[in-house]
Amino acid sequence: CHVRNEKWDRAIACCNKVLEKQPENPKALYRRGLSNLALRNLDLAEEDLNKALKLEPRDAGIAREVAKVKAVRAEYEAKQKKEWKGMFDRAAKE
């Protein structure tokens, strides 16, 4: 419910409660991973989604979200690299 309504912090809190009692609950791991992805907590999202995928290896939805995390991370790293390169190029010209 919280994921659908994009209440990411609430979704994470609910999933944490479930995972305290059932640490291997793939739905809770998946939903917490989605919420962390939405908040750009990429390491946490990737960790949860990979755990969920290990528990449910045939779930295409989980696999799709794991790929999305990797794509977002690659995009972020490319952007960072470009920004840093620009900073060093400007510094060298001065």
Side-chain angles (χ1 to χ4, degrees):
C1 177
H2 295 304
V3 172
R4 284 190 207 133
N5 293 326
E6 298 182 3
K7 307 261 186 213
W8 308 121
D9 291 327
R10 285 185 181 179
I12 290 170
C14 287
C15 291
N16 286 342
K17 286 180 184 178
V18 171
L19 292 167
E20 283 176 16
K21 295 178 182 177
Q22 301 172 21
E24 304 249 323
N25 185 307
K27 277 189 178 182
L29 288 165
Y30 172 73
R31 289 178 180 154
R32 190 170 72 175
L34 287 180
S35 298
N36 277 311
L37 177 58
L39 294 173
R40 294 299 189 244
N41 298 327
L42 301 181
D43 291 337
L44 296 173
E46 188 171 34
E47 182 180 336
D48 283 342
L49 292 168
N50 280 327
K51 282 182 189 176
L53 190 59
K54 283 181 185 175
L55 295 168
E56 296 288 337
R58 295 184 180 172
D59 190 315
I62 297 172
R64 192 170 35 252
E65 294 303 321
V66 169
K68 190 183 293 184
V69 170
K70 290 178 182 178
V72 169
R73 183 185 304 281
E75 181 182 313
Y76 174 78
E77 288 173 356
K79 183 178 177 184
Q80 289 291 343
K81 187 175 179 180
K82 185 177 179 182
E83 287 177 9
W84 282 101
K85 183 179 184 246
M87 291 177 94
F88 288 119
D89 289 345
R90 285 190 297 267
K93 289 179 184 178
E94 295 175 356

